[in-house]
Amino acid sequence: MNVLEITRFAVRGLTANKMRSILTMLGILIGVAAVILLVAVGQGSSDVIKQRIQSLGANTLTVSASFSGGFGGPAGRGGGGAAGPRTQARGLTLEDARAIASSGDAPSVKSVSPLVTSSSATTTYEGASHSISQVVGTYPSYFEATNKSVTSGAYFTNQDVTAVRKVVVIGKTVADELFGQVDPVGKKVNIQGAGFTVVGVLKESGSTGGQDADDVAVAPLPAVQQSLTGYGSLGGIVVQATSAETTDAAEAEITAILDQRHEITGSATADYRILNQASLQETVTEATGTFTVLLAAVAAISLLVGGIGITNIMLVTVTERTREIGIRKAIGAPRGAILGQFLIEATLLSLVGGLLGVGVAVAGSRFTIAGVQPVIVPQSIVLALGVSVAIGLFFGSYPANRAAKLRPIEALRFE
Amino acid sequence: MSSPMDGPMDGDRHGSASRWAGGPMSEPAEGAATAGDPVLLIRDVTKVYGEGEATVRALRGVSLTVEPGDYVAIMGASGSGKSTLMNIIGCLDVPTAGTYLLGGVDVGALDEVRQARVRNRRIGFIFQSFNLIPRMTALANVELPLAYGGVRAAERRRRALAALGLVGLSDRVGHQPNELSGGQQQRVAVARALVTSPTLLLADEPTGALDSTSTRDVLAIFDRLSLGGRTIVVITHEDDVAAHAKRVVRLMDGRIVDDRRQAPVDGPPPLIGDRPATGAMSER
């Protein structure tokens, strides 16, 4: 009595009740497909988020003014200094930016771009009107630091900055809203009453968490200060580090320079904070990891339910075929053969269901789910299949044991 | 012995003993078969069902010896304990007390695996309700004991076809039980019981669910098997069936009340040749 023989009996047992076998497999199929797909969705969204963080700019640090103090992001400082005396908080100034850029104390810094921002700026072009969600006044180095490139036209130049020329590079959304099919380069738009000449259109970068990253306009810093924000403190300073490895060094250097300039000593809370792209990415990766684990846990529950379905159906099968088991025993089937037959039946159910589930998941991952393109993780396939087979063995062993333990006389008497 | 008894029956008592050699039971089995010991030896067997008030004493001390080649009919009204005796002889049930030797081996002392092997190789079981496995062809049903016995596929098929030929069902091998008549199903069951060349053929009311024609067919097969030297024990309550046996044992209230020999152990069964064999069987 070899395994092949017993497998044949098992297959015969399964095909005798096709509908039931298919429905049981469906439970496992859904479980396995859910595990693989949800992990793929988690992976996909994690990839997208990582990509977006990278698109915000490689190796960049964003310095912004902090008036609340005591609360810093993952890269903010001063969390432990809340008890210390707080001197008058100062905003960031152009001088701060110059100090970081020009002093020899910051060798890890590649470029420094001071920023001012104005939100919801009403812009008109001929008859069309659009409220740009963010107008940024900065230096040309900003484009490189934040990974922004133009599809048509050009960036503005340092001459544009020093000459306070009213030129602007607009985002894709702004171009679409105001110009439609017309090429915006060279056209003059009116932002909050001031005339700006469009010199370039930015490449589409997609929306970031509900906020349209393409609904922007970037203009030279003094031009924006002059016509929109006034000459107050800066909204922030974008610093690009020389490489990914030097971002932490750059952060330390900036901290040293700003602490000195803002006269922050010892226990005092800093009046600025630094957002480090690299550590932000770390945090986000951690968060999406948790998210993926959560999704997988939900899916695993459905796999478990599928496994219980197998136990249920195998119990019914054993009860239904008690008489057959009795006959088999009467003609000399050893306990192992009966146990094997029912175990293999259960395992086949889960294995075939699992394989079909993998097929469904692979097919399903070709579609966008909830705005995310799923990315299949190969390990999740191996894991889900392995678990489904283990489930078949585990959940099938109870009914199979019950079948094998039946006394032949009792099994034969069963009606 | 006539040539139609070749095929699955070629392993006679001595043949089956040699197959057991090397197995865990080899020594007692060999001793039993070669010394001409009884196939079946039951001594003071009792069987009690239930406990306390609800106690039923199905067997109250039965002793029975069956010699090789004998054809025994065990008779009794319902409730006489004959089915209980049958289940004990067939290793499907264990006696409450007493000893039961099958070919000199105390079956009750064997473990599960060995008991299964005894059921597989030493006993051929024929049930009143046929007990074929549904959705399996006649051939697959007959092959089943051989499959559990570990016989190779080709050899299995050859022996199963021979056994089916012996019961006149060569043209029905591909049919499932629900496509066969009651008589045909019982003949498949007989083939299944024969296919392992068991030392003992055990039939529990084999004709109880059959019409008179099918009954004659099955009894004729038993007669020929007995003529071929096979040991047969039939449980029945019909006198017509018992008339075919060489020896009739009557049970009443769990005790043997009558033990009558109708023909010698080594002679032919009493009614052999009384009626012509069926067409299917005379072909062979």
Side-chain angles (χ1 to χ4, degrees), chain A residues 1 5 8-9 12 16 323-324 327-335 337-338 341 404 407-409 412-413, chain B residues 49 87 91-94 112 116 119-120 125 127 129 131-133 135-136 140 144-145 147-148 150 156 192:
Chain A
M1 196 67 203
E5 206 73 50
R8 261 183 44 207
F9 289 147
R12 199 173 280 156
R323 207 180 158 79
E324 183 190 318
I327 299 169
R328 285 177 186 272
K329 287 206 151 184
I331 61 171
R335 178 185 279 197
I338 301 287
Q341 179 181 340
R407 295 259 304 282
I409 184 65
L412 276 173
R413 279 198 194 121
Chain B
Y49 292 113
N87 289 332
C91 292
L92 298 178
D93 208 349
V94 284
E112 273 247 3
R119 283 197 288 268
N120 184 240
F125 232 114
F127 301 91
S129 50
N131 276 347
L132 298 178
I133 294 180
R135 290 185 290 268
M136 271 173 85
L144 200 57
Y148 284 126
R156 197 192 301 164
R192 183 178 66 186

Side-chain angles (χ1 to χ4, degrees), chain A residues 92-94 98 114-118 135-139 161 164 166 196 219-235:
Chain A
L92 295 165
T93 62
L94 211 49
R98 287 206 183 100
L115 298 184
V116 290
T117 56
S118 166
V135 177
V136 178
T138 184
Y139 291 172
V161 175
V164 202
K166 292 214 170 100
F196 281 82
L221 178 77
V224 174
Q225 284 179 316
Q226 189 185 63
S227 50
L228 297 171
T229 61
Y231 296 93
S233 55
L234 294 176

